[in-house]
């Protein structure tokens, strides 16, 4: 499998490619499937529909990996957090606010995720399945803010004044995410991606104590459980945090477009993923091809690298342009 070969440092003749939110609203076929369930979470729990959605990017784009269709907020529900997605507004969370009332989870409470992985795998030949979760800090922030936020006031106040409650919540999230990821690996996930969408809001000097400590435990325990399952870590806004991230045990670090990939590759022994600004997809076809090829030409050929964008695909992007992007990456030969 190209993606796994690339991570292992084996010789490959082109860069592997998959995209964040590769199954999403920009696809008419996804929108059609999505109409079969009223709300987004019911869709995530409908194994048959989630399997079909997961496989759409393989059928329509011929990508090199399938990420299971779900959401990072799914494992919060069995902990005692109500999660609701309202059209156009993003997620809304509600819970009592007392850390002591939150539950430790058992994978059986989210068994539908295991069924989705098994359902997807049954239909794949030679393409790996990516399981995923949100990073502890990002999930804690969603819980404290009760949804998305611009300034993370409540999160930061909790971080600096929460004391033991902060540590208890973060440790509980680590335990639950570990259980969640182990369940996904048992069900057949070949790789795991951890999404840290909000860690960039953290002051640099606080990152180690309030976020990285917990990530480290999560990655190390996961490696103990399954040493051969690669861990991909997406850190939005990772630029100034690169040095801090050196000590984390991941197999590839997924970057957004604010990072100088070329310098990062020279200065770090890590494998990188991502980095191209998704906004290129709003341009004309010639510009897309030109910019993608120019981007790939800057990556030294011996480097282990996984093509992805710097963030997820957006609903107003065009499927034909996304396909052009994937084809351009696949057509760029390394040998
Ligand atoms: O990548 C994939 O194709 C797999 C599925 C996937 C989704 N969300 C599907 C989804 C994955 C891996 C995610 C991760 C996720 N979810 C993240 C981390 C990545 C990132 O974007 O930084 C975050 C922060 C979330 C939380 C979340 N879920 C938000 C902010 C939203 C957007 C709300 C909106 O309406 O725009 C979602 C909803 C969501 N998750 C959609 C999809 C396809 C759209 C809702 C729909 O189709 O009805």
């Amino acid at each position: 499998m190209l993606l796994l070969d690339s991570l292992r440092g084996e010789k490959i003749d082109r860069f592997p490619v998959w995209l964040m939110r590769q199954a999403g609203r920009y696809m008419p076929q996804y929108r059609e499937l999505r109409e079969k369930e009223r709300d987004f979470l019911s869709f995530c729990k409908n194994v048959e529909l989630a399997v079909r959605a997961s496989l759409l990017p393989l059928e329509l784009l011929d990508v090199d990996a399938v990420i299971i269709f779900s959401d990072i907020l799914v494992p919060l529900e069995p902990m005692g957090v109500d999660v609701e997605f309202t059209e156009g507004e993003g997620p809304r969370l509600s819970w009592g606010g007392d850390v002591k009332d939150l539950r430790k989870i058992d994978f059986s409470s989210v068994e539908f995720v295991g069924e989705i992985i098994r359902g997807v795998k049954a239909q794949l030949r030679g393409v790996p399945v990516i399981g995923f979760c949100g990073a502890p800090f990002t999930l804690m922030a969603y819980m404290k803010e009760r949804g998305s936020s611009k300034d993370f006031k409540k999160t930061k106040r909790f971080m600096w004044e929460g004391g033991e409650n902060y540590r208890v919540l973060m440790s509980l999230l680590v335990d639950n995410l570990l259980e969640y990821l182990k369940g996904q690996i048992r069900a057949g996930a070949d790789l795991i991606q951890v999404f840290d969408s909000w860690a960039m809001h953290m002051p640099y000097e606080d990152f180690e104590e309030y976020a990285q400590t917990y990530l480290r435990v999560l990655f190390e325990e996961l490696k103990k459980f399954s040493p051969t399952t690669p861990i991909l870590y997406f850190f939005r806004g990772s630029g100034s945090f690169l040095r801090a991230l050196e000590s984390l045990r991941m197999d590839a670090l997924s970057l957004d477009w604010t990072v100088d990939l070329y310098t990062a590759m020279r200065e770090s022994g890590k494998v990188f993923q991502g980095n191209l600004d998704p906004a290129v997809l709003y341009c004309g076809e010639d510009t897309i091809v030109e910019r993608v090829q120019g981007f790939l030409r800057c990556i030294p050929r011996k480097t282990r690298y996984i093509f992805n964008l710097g963030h997820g695909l957006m609903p107003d992007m065009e499927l034909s342009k996304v396909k052009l992007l994937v084809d351009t990456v696949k057509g760029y030969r390394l040998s």
Side-chain angles (χ1 to χ4, degrees), residues 18-25 30 34 39-40 43-44 57 67-73 85-91 132 134 138 142 148 195-198 234 236 311-312 315:
W18 70 279
L19 304 168
M20 290 189 277
R21 293 235 181 126
Q22 59 187 14
R25 285 166 290 183
Y30 168 77
R34 178 67 185 78
D39 65 285
F40 177 66
F43 186 86
C44 290
I67 182 161
I68 55 156
F69 194 89
S70 189
D71 196 84
I72 60 167
L73 303 179
F85 286 85
T86 31
E87 206 59 51
E89 273 187 60
F132 71 87
T138 288
Y142 264 111
S148 300
F195 287 91
D196 218 345
S197 308
W198 286 356
F234 169 66
R236 192 155 135 229
H311 199 207

Side-chain angles (χ1 to χ4, degrees), residues 169-232:
L169 175 52
M170 290 295 278
S171 302
L172 178 66
L173 283 167
V174 170
D175 288 349
N176 285 344
L177 292 172
L178 199 57
E179 165 74 9
Y180 187 55
L181 293 179
K182 284 178 177 176
Q184 294 187 47
I185 293 172
R186 280 195 199 98
D190 300 293
L191 301 99
I192 293 295
Q193 174 144 323
V194 177
F195 287 91
D196 218 345
S197 308
W198 286 356
M200 63 172 169
H201 293 282
M202 163 85 77
Y204 187 82
E205 71 269 23
D206 288 317
F207 181 63
E208 169 62 34
E209 179 177 349
Y210 294 99
Q212 187 155 241
T213 312
Y214 302 94
L215 268 177
R216 186 171 289 120
V217 176
L218 181 66
F219 291 176
E220 282 174 5
E221 291 299 317
L222 201 63
K223 280 290 177 195
K224 275 188 212 156
F225 173 75
S226 179
T228 56
T229 305
I231 301 172
L232 314 173

Side-chain angles (χ1 to χ4, degrees), residues 54 61 63 82 168 235 255 330:
S54 308
L61 304 170
V63 281
D82 278 337
V168 168
F235 184 130
L255 305 173
K330 293 175 76 174

